[in-house]
Amino acid sequence: MTAMSAGSRSGPAADPGERPGRAETDRWRATAEVLAEVRREPGLTRVGLARRLRLASGSATEIAARLRDLGWVTEERAPCGGRGRPTTTLTPNPDGPGVVAVDVRFEGWRAGLAGLDGVPFAVRSGPHRRRDPDSVATELDGVVGELVAQAPGPVVAVGVGVAATVVDEHFAETGGGQGWSPLDVRRIGAGPGLPVLVGNDANLAGIAEVRDGAAAGAGTALFLTVEVGIGGALLLDGRAQAGARGAAGELGHLPFGDPAARCACGARGCWTTGVDGWALARMLGEPESDAPYSYARAVLDRAAAGEPGPAAAVTSASASLARGTAGLVNAHDPEVVVLAGLGPALRAAAPEAFAVAYDDGLMAFRRALAPPVHDDAHGEDGVLRGAAAIALDHAVSAPGLAARAG
């Protein structure tokens, strides 16, 4: 899912387990640093890791052996590079520890496994049987248990992305009628007794794009996604800005829309009221669907087939998306903008309207060097990748390694 709301924590927010003491944590700090480098650049040599982290040769050898024994990495002899003692390369163990990633969408869910590389596999999906909190939590806890049972190695954490604002270790409805107010996310993974990490869906998808997607390497990136409303995140040095209570970034509720339009959140004039599936239904004078994302996809298909009404509605939504994007660029000065969810399709359906509205909305000095607007690289896997990332971040941190060892 992508977008009921934009703000939340992007790290531990739901009972990541009993914290080890400082002494235990310190013993694992260098190991965590080595593991972080292997995640970042698989195939590094042990000698290269030692140099990069300024480790003594003996320490590097000891840590590599420890990680191999724990199952996180495999170690193979490196190709001979000339003189000097032979070294080895460290790569993620495909049969080693992993995490479960869960993406809780408005209409349904997706879940899968991920190893140290963070790439989802064994992905499954389905609609919600019921949308009340107890049913959603029970169903997804069962899915997590099934994935744990089929994992090639031990599962060490669960990462959950939710289409809502995450506050106080729960996620709360933001006014879209989901009936998830509140859902205790700790129940997802309670069966296997695993630490659960939770983040807002847009934040997590944005993190995935900054780490190895369309915004890779950007110090300041703006991520926007359209599904049920507009969600997004401002990412600084790879971290989504969360605010005082984890609820920052309600970008879809900025007053970029029609002042007369009442949003489900309770405010008037929200940007989201001119862009998503419910907005398209209002423009077409059709009933609002209880599956707004699927409805919007159908309207896009009708527009592509040449129906005048849907074509006009899609053009209006595309221009509204572009104007708001320009306003956020003026406010935040990102290096790059990434669109996800329905965003790429809306832009592609009315490219001229999007381009004109984006350019017109930018301050004059920005137009010559306007930040590029890219489609997301990870598609529907973006939230899963982000959820896997925060679960792995916890599991391979010094406290996480120390807690598991204990």
Side-chain angles (χ1 to χ4, degrees), residues 343-401:
L346 286 170
R347 178 169 66 156
E352 184 176 355
F354 186 97
V356 169
Y358 181 58
D359 188 69
D360 285 348
L362 292 172
M363 299 168 70
F365 83 94
R366 294 192 186 279
R367 289 177 186 152
L369 294 172
V373 181
H374 297 316
D375 294 348
D376 62 325
H378 294 313
E380 65 177 358
D381 278 347
V383 179
L384 285 183
R385 282 177 173 261
I390 62 170
L392 285 165
D393 287 350
H394 166 72
V396 303
S397 67
L401 291 169

Side-chain angles (χ1 to χ4, degrees), residues 216-242:
T220 304
L222 176 64
F223 177 82
L224 296 170
T225 182
V226 183
E227 186 171 316
V228 183
I230 300 173
L234 178 67
L235 298 115
L236 304 179
D237 296 324
R239 298 182 63 86
Q241 302 308 291

Side-chain angles (χ1 to χ4, degrees), residues 4 41 78 185 205-206 210 266 303 327 339 376:
M4 206 48 220
E41 191 177 336
V185 185
V210 168
L339 297 180
D376 62 325

